Amino acid sequence: AQSVTQLGSHVSVSEGALVLLRCNYSSSVPPYLFWYVQYPNQGLQLLLKYTSAATLVKGINGFEAEFKKSETSFHLTKPSAHMSDAAEYFCALLTGGYNKLIFGAGTRLAVHP
Amino acid sequence: DVKVTQSSRYLVKRTGEKVFLECVQDMDHENMFWYRQDPGLGLRLIYFSYDVKMKEKGDIPEGYSVSREKKERFSLILESASTNQTSMYLCASSFPLQGGTEAFFGQGTRLTVV
């Protein structure tokens, strides 16, 4: 069965520190993977996506993610956290059929001064 | 810019009421989706539609129905609202997602059933 697991429902970092949000997936076919961000009281916005063109994917706002097939992972990183990065982050996996997305439970990122 | 617009940001309804949540997209997308978002559970798919008048159940369709009479509009209907349907509802739309085309989301409707 296809699934997405995000390790850590809450992550807290200092401003300027490395951000690492973890995502593992399970898929019987080559996956398409996405990271979305949700700021308070808003909808979801695409950060980046993996579509098999390159294993290191760069997104908006300085985020990037590396696809590792051997580890079935797609972790999201940012070298230096900013206060404006405080939000909830969702990892998602594209399933077959009519193109449905399966989402992880989300990780809430807090950034403190 | 792609826009997915949900008709209400906040709604308060009474138990037993029939509730309509409306979603409109302006990008001629074939696919439209309704998700429910609850803390610790992420987003769960309620229903989706891949064409006008076509619909498919998602993972949690019980207590909900949908309507898609026009390509740009997708409505979620709570036939008889219950308190356990208090949640954030998110609408999304996309072209067919093969190849990783992204889904675009509306701002969400926070529904409270009292």
Side-chain angles (χ1 to χ4, degrees), chain A residues 23-107:
Chain A
C23 173
N24 288 89
Y25 69 91
S26 173
S27 178
S28 57
V29 298
Y32 292 119
L33 293 158
F34 304 78
W35 275 101
Y36 281 86
V37 60
Q38 184 180 37
Y39 298 105
N41 298 314
Q42 294 190 26
L44 273 67
Q45 177 184 0
L46 182 69
L47 271 179
L48 49 80
K49 61 184 178 183
Y50 168 73
T51 60
S52 75
T55 57
L56 184 62
V57 182
K58 294 188 183 298
I60 62 172
N61 301 338
F63 284 92
E64 63 182 34
E66 186 172 8
F67 174 74
K68 291 187 177 180
K69 182 178 179 181
S70 60
E71 298 177 9
T72 61
S73 69
F74 189 54
H75 301 332
L76 181 71
T77 60
K78 182 174 180 177
S80 177
H82 191 272
M83 298 294 288
S84 62
D85 295 326
E88 190 156 21
Y89 293 79
F90 293 93
C91 183
L93 169 69
L94 180 64
T95 69
Y98 290 106
N99 317 141
K100 295 183 289 184
L101 285 171
I102 296 175
F103 285 85
T107 297

